[in-house]
Amino acid sequence: MIPDLASRVHDHSYRVDPIIRTLLDTDFYKFLMLQMIWKLKPDVHATFGLHNRSGAVRLADCIDEKELTAQLDHARSLRFQKNELIWLAGNSFYGRTKIFEPGFLEYLGDFRLPPYQLSRRNGEFELRFEGLWRETTMWEVPALAILNELRARSAMFRMGRFELDVLYARAKAKLWSKVERLRILAREGPLKISDFGTRRRHGFLWQRWCIEALREGVGEALIGTSNVKHAMDLGLEAIGTNAHELPMVYAALAENDAALREAPFTVLEDWSRLYDGNLLVLLPDTFGTTNFLKAAPDWAADWTGARPDSKPPIEGAEELIDWWKARGRDPGQKLIVLSDGMTIDSIEASVRHLRGRAQVSIGWGTNLTNDFAGCVPHGADVDVMPPSLVCKVIEVEGRPAVKLSDNPAKFLGPKDEIARYERVFGYQPGVWRQA
Amino acid sequence: MIPDLASRVHDHSYRVDPIIRTLLDTDFYKFLMLQMIWKLKPDVHATFGLHNRSGAVRLADCIDEKELTAQLDHARSLRFQKNELIWLAGNSFYGRTKIFEPGFLEYLGDFRLPPYQLSRRNGEFELRFEGLWRETTMWEVPALAILNELRARSAMFRMGRFELDVLYARAKAKLWSKVERLRILAREGPLKISDFGTRRRHGFLWQRWCIEALREGVGEALIGTSNVKHAMDLGLEAIGTNAHELPMVYAALAENDAALREAPFTVLEDWSRLYDGNLLVLLPDTFGTTNFLKAAPDWAADWTGARPDSKPPIEGAEELIDWWKARGRDPGQKLIVLSDGMTIDSIEASVRHLRGRAQVSIGWGTNLTNDFAGCVPHGADVDVMPPSLVCKVIEVEGRPAVKLSDNPAKFLGPKDEIARYERVFGYQPGVWRQA
């Protein structure tokens, strides 16, 4: 075999193996939200911060700070390419063309990720992004993808050539066995599934393989991917609507308790000024689902669907179905997007349970793009288990941001503010809480 | 990525993708036997013929005759390379240097595979090798490897790029799960295992991967490979001693029943004129093990060990242990080579059963190098199941050759000759026959 000398030398001498290859390597909903922020809240400052929910894994113990800096700096050096902006302008999303207005695309043309603040405390990185919301918001996904991939790399760095070969063979075999189960599920009845695994993925190329495996195995049942770069390259639909940061920021900006109580619905009003149709998906759990649904104005029940994101999927879906029925709407016409920690088991169970009762769409994340449990040839799984990292808005115009959610493990914010939010929203703990 | 244009064009235009890359790509015992044939039976003619024990798979239905011819012709074009002959001369085998004499190495220097006769009948290939035994014998392993790989290729030809990726990922994961079981077995106590999978392998590169996986997983417990090319390249021991063709030819040459009865032991005498030490491994089952052991001269019990090859492994080993005991030898010092259709299950069972009672060495074949059951992403396993092919001596100087073995499914030869051999050897059917 004649070696490819140029590639060989290049492979051994390049400065950084970039984790983020393009600013399109992020989730689609970031662009929808960014356009809204750019249009309606251009001057609001919001700080995002890294939060590691996995107590067992201390990131600074396994990730080299210099490498982290190099990857973050590399991401900051990126600009949208001309062909990417043309694609964003010319492609249709959710069946609609020209979803992004010319002024916004012009804004993207000049966009770069803002500075970051990195420090260390007790074996943990403190990573913060301060500045204008319309800039800091774009760090969430690349920052998480960088941290997750650096952690995976640190485990793989200790493996030999052959171990890596076995590792990937097993991961591929493992994913394919899930794909086969989905194929059976798709044969039984309707199935809609999309990749939501960018932020906690093992790596960019691995995510692509996972998406291609789904396409190979379930064909049309794969309705798309949340990752804009993969969507563009693979000719798939870009999927996603909005996230908790919208109500969190609106809530933090509220001047008093009455405004706070209204904030989640003000978000919906603003959203519907920009988007319609299948983009009208409620995210009801930011400050507790039950009180949200109770307080929601009637027009909210006209939205296309909802994404329950912190209750067990079937319970979350049942609550929504009951709510639509109580408001006189037909749940069979409504879309329920399940995307909170879905596994192949919970996908099968919830799709089978909900068939014929609502339109279900699965957003499959970590268990799709970063499941290497049982795949390490020598050594412990713990090294390749993805830590539960989030990058959330923590401060808005100097005021703390708060998230309650239906799962107390996901609460974010100072204790006194959490108590205030619980009181204002009439948060109902207990019955829906996850074990 | 800059494409490697030369490789790309070459990959799409080469005439034949050779299955046999070198004359060293064969089993080591062929060289030991060839030296004996060259030295003691240089003028004997022996015809080898292909026999397909798998009634269900008709080879000519799935293998293109032109491709088969191209591969056989390619194998005939090969000569030993200078570095290969130097390695055969300079390497030590079974702890002994200069195992091959200079005259024999000179003979190899001029060696090429003799002509073949290929025809078709009822969807089967008839493949025969006629000529001097010292030439035709060398076709056995490459002919089988070619047929097995062409069959595997015919199944893979219908698979897309992604299916192939999944196929190999699953096969690797499957093999590694076996390696992990062997690792546990090696931790419990002594384990000696070697690759015997050349003839029924999926392919040359896959065989190499399997050997490397064993080395990665069990380290020193991998004592070598029967494949001379892999042994040379990987720095492993070449493993193997002798095969049924020796007693079969000697038996066919016997002028009368008395000479026939003696033939299996004449082989042993001749063998021990050339080889000693660990190369003295009895192959007792050619005409039935029980009668062989009963009739064997006492010095046969001094040989280092034996390879029971057609009884269930534990029963075959127990019979040998009883025999050594009856002959006053210590079975604990004897080597038992188990190599007949070993699977990970039968390896575990027999190693655990025989530990402390005899030295056991496993020769792992098809289940190591060609186990793709359950690995095909779309489609049936049957396409990748290796057919049970053998290439055996069928005629010697115009007389039919016969094999009985302990397993009637492995009988070879004309009915009347089989009956004569059964009578002459006092073949005892029944109790040891495999279910």
Side-chain angles (χ1 to χ4, degrees), chain A residues 141-164:
Chain A
V141 178
L144 293 173
I146 285 170
L147 286 159
N148 273 301
E149 186 161 346
L150 284 180
R151 168 156 160 83
R153 286 186 187 181
S154 78
M156 292 190 294
F157 187 72
R158 297 187 296 272
M159 299 185 196
R161 174 82 182 72
F162 200 91
E163 283 176 271
L164 290 170

PDB file of all heavy atoms in Angstrom, chain A residues 141-164:
ATOM      1  N   VAL A 141     -24.920  25.256  23.106  1.00  0.00           N
ATOM      2  CA  VAL A 141     -24.719  23.946  22.481  1.00  0.00           C
ATOM      3  C   VAL A 141     -23.244  23.661  22.188  1.00  0.00           C
ATOM      4  O   VAL A 141     -22.731  22.594  22.562  1.00  0.00           O
ATOM      5  CB  VAL A 141     -25.620  23.798  21.234  1.00  0.00           C
ATOM      6  CG1 VAL A 141     -25.379  22.455  20.560  1.00  0.00           C
ATOM      7  CG2 VAL A 141     -27.091  23.931  21.642  1.00  0.00           C
ATOM      8  N   PRO A 142     -22.514  24.590  21.541  1.00  0.00           N
ATOM      9  CA  PRO A 142     -21.090  24.280  21.309  1.00  0.00           C
ATOM     10  C   PRO A 142     -20.298  24.080  22.594  1.00  0.00           C
ATOM     11  O   PRO A 142     -19.425  23.197  22.645  1.00  0.00           O
ATOM     12  CB  PRO A 142     -20.570  25.485  20.516  1.00  0.00           C
ATOM     13  CG  PRO A 142     -21.645  26.499  20.513  1.00  0.00           C
ATOM     14  CD  PRO A 142     -22.919  25.825  20.838  1.00  0.00           C
ATOM     15  N   ALA A 143     -20.589  24.842  23.650  1.00  0.00           N
ATOM     16  CA  ALA A 143     -19.841  24.660  24.902  1.00  0.00           C
ATOM     17  C   ALA A 143     -20.061  23.257  25.451  1.00  0.00           C
ATOM     18  O   ALA A 143     -19.117  22.583  25.866  1.00  0.00           O
ATOM     19  CB  ALA A 143     -20.275  25.713  25.929  1.00  0.00           C
ATOM     20  N   LEU A 144     -21.317  22.795  25.443  1.00  0.00           N
ATOM     21  CA  LEU A 144     -21.602  21.454  25.951  1.00  0.00           C
ATOM     22  C   LEU A 144     -20.974  20.376  25.063  1.00  0.00           C
ATOM     23  O   LEU A 144     -20.420  19.394  25.555  1.00  0.00           O
ATOM     24  CB  LEU A 144     -23.114  21.246  26.060  1.00  0.00           C
ATOM     25  CG  LEU A 144     -23.825  22.111  27.112  1.00  0.00           C
ATOM     26  CD1 LEU A 144     -25.339  21.949  27.007  1.00  0.00           C
ATOM     27  CD2 LEU A 144     -23.337  21.755  28.516  1.00  0.00           C
ATOM     28  N   ALA A 145     -21.075  20.573  23.752  1.00  0.00           N
ATOM     29  CA  ALA A 145     -20.504  19.578  22.838  1.00  0.00           C
ATOM     30  C   ALA A 145     -18.987  19.491  23.030  1.00  0.00           C
ATOM     31  O   ALA A 145     -18.407  18.406  22.998  1.00  0.00           O
ATOM     32  CB  ALA A 145     -20.850  19.931  21.388  1.00  0.00           C
ATOM     33  N   ILE A 146     -18.358  20.645  23.243  1.00  0.00           N
ATOM     34  CA  ILE A 146     -16.901  20.656  23.467  1.00  0.00           C
ATOM     35  C   ILE A 146     -16.554  19.896  24.745  1.00  0.00           C
ATOM     36  O   ILE A 146     -15.667  19.045  24.757  1.00  0.00           O
ATOM     37  CB  ILE A 146     -16.379  22.113  23.523  1.00  0.00           C
ATOM     38  CG1 ILE A 146     -16.344  22.709  22.116  1.00  0.00           C
ATOM     39  CG2 ILE A 146     -15.003  22.177  24.186  1.00  0.00           C
ATOM     40  CD1 ILE A 146     -16.066  24.209  22.067  1.00  0.00           C
ATOM     41  N   LEU A 147     -17.253  20.196  25.822  1.00  0.00           N
ATOM     42  CA  LEU A 147     -16.932  19.533  27.088  1.00  0.00           C
ATOM     43  C   LEU A 147     -17.183  18.033  27.009  1.00  0.00           C
ATOM     44  O   LEU A 147     -16.376  17.234  27.486  1.00  0.00           O
ATOM     45  CB  LEU A 147     -17.742  20.163  28.223  1.00  0.00           C
ATOM     46  CG  LEU A 147     -17.224  21.547  28.622  1.00  0.00           C
ATOM     47  CD1 LEU A 147     -18.298  22.348  29.337  1.00  0.00           C
ATOM     48  CD2 LEU A 147     -15.980  21.419  29.501  1.00  0.00           C
ATOM     49  N   ASN A 148     -18.286  17.633  26.399  1.00  0.00           N
ATOM     50  CA  ASN A 148     -18.573  16.205  26.298  1.00  0.00           C
ATOM     51  C   ASN A 148     -17.544  15.481  25.435  1.00  0.00           C
ATOM     52  O   ASN A 148     -17.102  14.394  25.767  1.00  0.00           O
ATOM     53  CB  ASN A 148     -19.987  15.973  25.761  1.00  0.00           C
ATOM     54  CG  ASN A 148     -21.012  15.970  26.883  1.00  0.00           C
ATOM     55  OD1 ASN A 148     -20.927  15.157  27.795  1.00  0.00           O
ATOM     56  ND2 ASN A 148     -21.943  16.901  26.838  1.00  0.00           N
ATOM     57  N   GLU A 149     -17.172  16.112  24.326  1.00  0.00           N
ATOM     58  CA  GLU A 149     -16.220  15.414  23.458  1.00  0.00           C
ATOM     59  C   GLU A 149     -14.825  15.383  24.087  1.00  0.00           C
ATOM     60  O   GLU A 149     -14.117  14.376  23.975  1.00  0.00           O
ATOM     61  CB  GLU A 149     -16.181  16.034  22.055  1.00  0.00           C
ATOM     62  CG  GLU A 149     -15.292  15.199  21.128  1.00  0.00           C
ATOM     63  CD  GLU A 149     -15.526  15.438  19.643  1.00  0.00           C
ATOM     64  OE1 GLU A 149     -16.548  16.053  19.280  1.00  0.00           O
ATOM     65  OE2 GLU A 149     -14.672  14.999  18.852  1.00  0.00           O
ATOM     66  N   LEU A 150     -14.443  16.451  24.777  1.00  0.00           N
ATOM     67  CA  LEU A 150     -13.127  16.426  25.439  1.00  0.00           C
ATOM     68  C   LEU A 150     -13.083  15.342  26.516  1.00  0.00           C
ATOM     69  O   LEU A 150     -12.066  14.684  26.703  1.00  0.00           O
ATOM     70  CB  LEU A 150     -12.804  17.790  26.058  1.00  0.00           C
ATOM     71  CG  LEU A 150     -12.365  18.875  25.078  1.00  0.00           C
ATOM     72  CD1 LEU A 150     -12.089  20.176  25.827  1.00  0.00           C
ATOM     73  CD2 LEU A 150     -11.130  18.455  24.281  1.00  0.00           C
ATOM     74  N   ARG A 151     -14.190  15.174  27.196  1.00  0.00           N
ATOM     75  CA  ARG A 151     -14.219  14.101  28.192  1.00  0.00           C
ATOM     76  C   ARG A 151     -14.101  12.730  27.522  1.00  0.00           C
ATOM     77  O   ARG A 151     -13.344  11.867  27.969  1.00  0.00           O
ATOM     78  CB  ARG A 151     -15.504  14.167  29.000  1.00  0.00           C
ATOM     79  CG  ARG A 151     -15.702  12.923  29.835  1.00  0.00           C
ATOM     80  CD  ARG A 151     -16.573  13.174  31.014  1.00  0.00           C
ATOM     81  NE  ARG A 151     -17.123  11.916  31.506  1.00  0.00           N
ATOM     82  CZ  ARG A 151     -16.480  11.102  32.313  1.00  0.00           C
ATOM     83  NH1 ARG A 151     -15.274  11.402  32.730  1.00  0.00           N
ATOM     84  NH2 ARG A 151     -17.040   9.978  32.709  1.00  0.00           N
ATOM     85  N   ALA A 152     -14.822  12.527  26.436  1.00  0.00           N
ATOM     86  CA  ALA A 152     -14.723  11.254  25.717  1.00  0.00           C
ATOM     87  C   ALA A 152     -13.289  11.054  25.216  1.00  0.00           C
ATOM     88  O   ALA A 152     -12.719   9.967  25.326  1.00  0.00           O
ATOM     89  CB  ALA A 152     -15.707  11.235  24.555  1.00  0.00           C
ATOM     90  N   ARG A 153     -12.707  12.127  24.695  1.00  0.00           N
ATOM     91  CA  ARG A 153     -11.337  12.008  24.185  1.00  0.00           C
ATOM     92  C   ARG A 153     -10.355  11.640  25.296  1.00  0.00           C
ATOM     93  O   ARG A 153      -9.408  10.898  25.073  1.00  0.00           O
ATOM     94  CB  ARG A 153     -10.891  13.314  23.532  1.00  0.00           C
ATOM     95  CG  ARG A 153     -11.525  13.571  22.181  1.00  0.00           C
ATOM     96  CD  ARG A 153     -10.918  14.817  21.538  1.00  0.00           C
ATOM     97  NE  ARG A 153     -11.614  15.190  20.319  1.00  0.00           N
ATOM     98  CZ  ARG A 153     -11.281  16.215  19.555  1.00  0.00           C
ATOM     99  NH1 ARG A 153     -10.247  16.984  19.888  1.00  0.00           N
ATOM    100  NH2 ARG A 153     -11.953  16.490  18.458  1.00  0.00           N
ATOM    101  N   SER A 154     -10.579  12.185  26.486  1.00  0.00           N
ATOM    102  CA  SER A 154      -9.631  11.898  27.571  1.00  0.00           C
ATOM    103  C   SER A 154      -9.677  10.413  27.932  1.00  0.00           C
ATOM    104  O   SER A 154      -8.658   9.822  28.272  1.00  0.00           O
ATOM    105  CB  SER A 154      -9.930  12.771  28.796  1.00  0.00           C
ATOM    106  OG  SER A 154     -11.034  12.260  29.520  1.00  0.00           O
ATOM    107  N   ALA A 155     -10.854   9.800  27.830  1.00  0.00           N
ATOM    108  CA  ALA A 155     -10.940   8.354  28.082  1.00  0.00           C
ATOM    109  C   ALA A 155     -10.281   7.586  26.936  1.00  0.00           C
ATOM    110  O   ALA A 155      -9.566   6.612  27.152  1.00  0.00           O
ATOM    111  CB  ALA A 155     -12.400   7.929  28.238  1.00  0.00           C
ATOM    112  N   MET A 156     -10.501   8.051  25.708  1.00  0.00           N
ATOM    113  CA  MET A 156      -9.971   7.320  24.552  1.00  0.00           C
ATOM    114  C   MET A 156      -8.471   7.499  24.401  1.00  0.00           C
ATOM    115  O   MET A 156      -7.797   6.667  23.801  1.00  0.00           O
ATOM    116  CB  MET A 156     -10.701   7.774  23.293  1.00  0.00           C
ATOM    117  CG  MET A 156     -12.165   7.327  23.313  1.00  0.00           C
ATOM    118  SD  MET A 156     -12.968   7.597  21.733  1.00  0.00           S
ATOM    119  CE  MET A 156     -12.929   9.382  21.676  1.00  0.00           C
ATOM    120  N   PHE A 157      -7.950   8.580  24.954  1.00  0.00           N
ATOM    121  CA  PHE A 157      -6.516   8.855  24.866  1.00  0.00           C
ATOM    122  C   PHE A 157      -5.709   7.718  25.489  1.00  0.00           C
ATOM    123  O   PHE A 157      -4.592   7.445  25.079  1.00  0.00           O
ATOM    124  CB  PHE A 157      -6.223  10.179  25.580  1.00  0.00           C
ATOM    125  CG  PHE A 157      -4.812  10.649  25.422  1.00  0.00           C
ATOM    126  CD1 PHE A 157      -4.377  11.149  24.204  1.00  0.00           C
ATOM    127  CD2 PHE A 157      -3.914  10.581  26.475  1.00  0.00           C
ATOM    128  CE1 PHE A 157      -3.073  11.579  24.041  1.00  0.00           C
ATOM    129  CE2 PHE A 157      -2.608  11.004  26.323  1.00  0.00           C
ATOM    130  CZ  PHE A 157      -2.190  11.512  25.096  1.00  0.00           C
ATOM    131  N   ARG A 158      -6.282   7.042  26.464  1.00  0.00           N
ATOM    132  CA  ARG A 158      -5.573   5.952  27.135  1.00  0.00           C
ATOM    133  C   ARG A 158      -5.742   4.605  26.418  1.00  0.00           C
ATOM    134  O   ARG A 158      -5.222   3.599  26.859  1.00  0.00           O
ATOM    135  CB  ARG A 158      -6.071   5.815  28.581  1.00  0.00           C
ATOM    136  CG  ARG A 158      -5.796   7.023  29.448  1.00  0.00           C
ATOM    137  CD  ARG A 158      -6.142   6.768  30.909  1.00  0.00           C
ATOM    138  NE  ARG A 158      -7.562   6.529  31.115  1.00  0.00           N
ATOM    139  CZ  ARG A 158      -8.464   7.494  31.334  1.00  0.00           C
ATOM    140  NH1 ARG A 158      -8.081   8.757  31.358  1.00  0.00           N
ATOM    141  NH2 ARG A 158      -9.732   7.200  31.526  1.00  0.00           N
ATOM    142  N   MET A 159      -6.500   4.587  25.345  1.00  0.00           N
ATOM    143  CA  MET A 159      -6.755   3.313  24.652  1.00  0.00           C
ATOM    144  C   MET A 159      -5.815   3.158  23.461  1.00  0.00           C
ATOM    145  O   MET A 159      -5.453   4.125  22.795  1.00  0.00           O
ATOM    146  CB  MET A 159      -8.208   3.269  24.146  1.00  0.00           C
ATOM    147  CG  MET A 159      -9.236   3.360  25.251  1.00  0.00           C
ATOM    148  SD  MET A 159     -10.926   3.159  24.613  1.00  0.00           S
ATOM    149  CE  MET A 159     -11.869   3.787  26.008  1.00  0.00           C
ATOM    150  N   GLY A 160      -5.458   1.900  23.195  1.00  0.00           N
ATOM    151  CA  GLY A 160      -4.634   1.604  22.035  1.00  0.00           C
ATOM    152  C   GLY A 160      -5.477   1.537  20.769  1.00  0.00           C
ATOM    153  O   GLY A 160      -6.703   1.586  20.825  1.00  0.00           O
ATOM    154  N   ARG A 161      -4.798   1.394  19.646  1.00  0.00           N
ATOM    155  CA  ARG A 161      -5.451   1.343  18.339  1.00  0.00           C
ATOM    156  C   ARG A 161      -6.526   0.265  18.298  1.00  0.00           C
ATOM    157  O   ARG A 161      -7.629   0.481  17.801  1.00  0.00           O
ATOM    158  CB  ARG A 161      -4.360   1.073  17.288  1.00  0.00           C
ATOM    159  CG  ARG A 161      -4.816   0.834  15.878  1.00  0.00           C
ATOM    160  CD  ARG A 161      -5.084   2.142  15.181  1.00  0.00           C
ATOM    161  NE  ARG A 161      -5.577   1.923  13.834  1.00  0.00           N
ATOM    162  CZ  ARG A 161      -6.802   1.462  13.556  1.00  0.00           C
ATOM    163  NH1 ARG A 161      -7.627   1.191  14.525  1.00  0.00           N
ATOM    164  NH2 ARG A 161      -7.175   1.294  12.318  1.00  0.00           N
ATOM    165  N   PHE A 162      -6.201  -0.901  18.839  1.00  0.00           N
ATOM    166  CA  PHE A 162      -7.121  -2.018  18.761  1.00  0.00           C
ATOM    167  C   PHE A 162      -8.315  -1.842  19.697  1.00  0.00           C
ATOM    168  O   PHE A 162      -9.452  -2.153  19.347  1.00  0.00           O
ATOM    169  CB  PHE A 162      -6.390  -3.326  19.078  1.00  0.00           C
ATOM    170  CG  PHE A 162      -7.114  -4.506  18.558  1.00  0.00           C
ATOM    171  CD1 PHE A 162      -6.835  -4.980  17.288  1.00  0.00           C
ATOM    172  CD2 PHE A 162      -8.099  -5.129  19.301  1.00  0.00           C
ATOM    173  CE1 PHE A 162      -7.525  -6.055  16.773  1.00  0.00           C
ATOM    174  CE2 PHE A 162      -8.800  -6.202  18.790  1.00  0.00           C
ATOM    175  CZ  PHE A 162      -8.510  -6.672  17.539  1.00  0.00           C
ATOM    176  N   GLU A 163      -8.033  -1.314  20.876  1.00  0.00           N
ATOM    177  CA  GLU A 163      -9.129  -1.049  21.813  1.00  0.00           C
ATOM    178  C   GLU A 163     -10.150  -0.084  21.206  1.00  0.00           C
ATOM    179  O   GLU A 163     -11.357  -0.253  21.367  1.00  0.00           O
ATOM    180  CB  GLU A 163      -8.593  -0.417  23.096  1.00  0.00           C
ATOM    181  CG  GLU A 163      -7.915  -1.368  24.043  1.00  0.00           C
ATOM    182  CD  GLU A 163      -7.340  -0.594  25.215  1.00  0.00           C
ATOM    183  OE1 GLU A 163      -6.173  -0.160  25.098  1.00  0.00           O
ATOM    184  OE2 GLU A 163      -8.050  -0.409  26.217  1.00  0.00           O
ATOM    185  N   LEU A 164      -9.636   0.930  20.532  1.00  0.00           N
ATOM    186  CA  LEU A 164     -10.537   1.902  19.911  1.00  0.00           C
ATOM    187  C   LEU A 164     -11.391   1.224  18.843  1.00  0.00           C
ATOM    188  O   LEU A 164     -12.583   1.506  18.706  1.00  0.00           O
ATOM    189  CB  LEU A 164      -9.728   3.051  19.289  1.00  0.00           C
ATOM    190  CG  LEU A 164      -9.052   3.974  20.300  1.00  0.00           C
ATOM    191  CD1 LEU A 164      -8.074   4.913  19.593  1.00  0.00           C
ATOM    192  CD2 LEU A 164     -10.101   4.797  21.066  1.00  0.00           C
TER     193      LEU A 164
END
